[in-house]
Amino acid sequence: MILLPLLRLFRRPLTVPPLSYVVPLGLFQSTGFVGCTLWALESGAAGKTAILVYMMPLWLLMMAWPVLGERIRGWQWPAMGFAFLGLFLILDPGRTDSSLHGTLLAILSGIFWAISAVWQKKMAPPGIDLLTVTAWQMVFGGLGLLFLAILRDPLTLHWSPALIGALLYNALPGNALAWLLWAYALRHLPSGVAGMGTLVAPLVGVLASWAQLGEHPGSREFQGMLFIFLALFLVTWQHLRMQNDTALASGPEESGE
């Protein structure tokens, strides 16, 4: 409802992208990822759900190697180890404050997101408009969400200012803008780098749940955050080193020096 009018406003193509590409993308990205994330929040703590959902970059690194040929290189290996260690510390398997149902849904959400990223990187038709793809994948993914919602629960909404504000936030910056920026990052960065960069998001989720919901992270969560920040630094450094090596190999004329 937001992006389709913008296509007309910005004079972008309104033509539906190939259905064989955009329908699976919408089902993976909007139906699978968004749906499982929101469903997981019914029985899991917000901070813990955010961490589980954003295991996506780790699934993405593993999927991108066999499917896209983007090998895990150099400091990305220890970065993956630090990231898993950080997530392990934050999750704290010995705790029982959330049900297995919510935990599995949150993990499945991250897997759906990783699959959608690989699909978008591998199957996108050449020259396709990012805004058009983002809009139409949300149309088809939204229809999938609506179908599942009707199956699971009758549409008994109790309208309030808080509900309207939440819907507007999720529609505008939370989904429309966020998915457009994510598609842009995937096009201009290797999948692994784009995915690992999103590890900042669960840290924001933990801090926001701490400030807004009173979910106070303990010492293990704090240690996990430090390990994840270290993983981000290593991945970023590895990416910059690869760019520098490529520029040196191309010579001053090709690199623009």
Side-chain angles (χ1 to χ4, degrees), residues 151-192:
L151 283 181
R152 188 178 186 277
D153 240 343
L155 295 177
T156 52
L157 297 178
H158 302 284
W159 294 101
S160 67
L163 175 59
I164 294 172
L167 288 175
L168 289 176
Y169 175 81
N170 278 279
L172 293 171
N175 276 285
L177 178 60
W179 285 125
L180 181 61
L181 293 175
W182 173 242
Y184 181 86
L186 277 179
R187 175 167 291 187
H188 292 86
L189 290 172
S191 297

Side-chain angles (χ1 to χ4, degrees), residues 99-239:
S99 69
L100 179 61
H101 181 257
T103 298
L104 293 177
L105 282 171
I107 293 174
L108 185 60
S109 173
I111 293 174
F112 271 127
W113 189 0
I115 293 173
S116 75
V118 172
W119 181 269
Q120 190 165 0
K121 192 88 170 180
K122 187 176 180 62
M123 304 301 294
I128 197 165
D129 185 79
L130 284 179
L131 187 59
T132 302
V133 170
T134 303
W136 283 108
Q137 71 85 10
M138 293 183 73
V139 168
F140 292 112
L143 290 174
L145 276 176
L146 181 61
F147 176 74
L148 292 176
I150 292 174
L151 283 181
R152 188 178 186 277
D153 240 343
L155 295 177
T156 52
L157 297 178
H158 302 284
W159 294 101
S160 67
L163 175 59
I164 294 172
L167 288 175
L168 289 176
Y169 175 81
N170 278 279
L172 293 171
N175 276 285
L177 178 60
W179 285 125
L180 181 61
L181 293 175
W182 173 242
Y184 181 86
L186 277 179
R187 175 167 291 187
H188 292 86
L189 290 172
S191 297
V193 175
M196 289 293 286
T198 61
L199 278 174
V200 172
L203 303 184
V204 175
V206 170
L207 294 175
S209 65
W210 184 5
Q212 298 177 3
L213 304 175
E215 298 177 4
H216 302 291
S219 59
R220 289 175 63 97
E221 285 86 353
F222 181 73
Q223 295 171 24
M225 291 178 190
L226 293 180
F227 278 116
I228 291 175
F229 273 122
L230 178 57
L232 287 169
F233 171 78
L234 291 177
V235 169
T236 303
W237 187 38
Q238 175 70 23
H239 180 54

Side-chain angles (χ1 to χ4, degrees), residues 59-73 76-77 117-119 121-123 189-193 242:
W59 310 129
L60 181 55
L61 273 176
M62 291 185 286
M63 293 179 189
W65 190 349
V67 179
L68 302 177
E70 296 182 5
R71 298 182 59 185
I72 302 173
R73 301 181 182 183
Q76 288 178 347
W77 284 108
V118 172
W119 181 269
K121 192 88 170 180
K122 187 176 180 62
M123 304 301 294
L189 290 172
S191 297
V193 175
M242 292 170 60

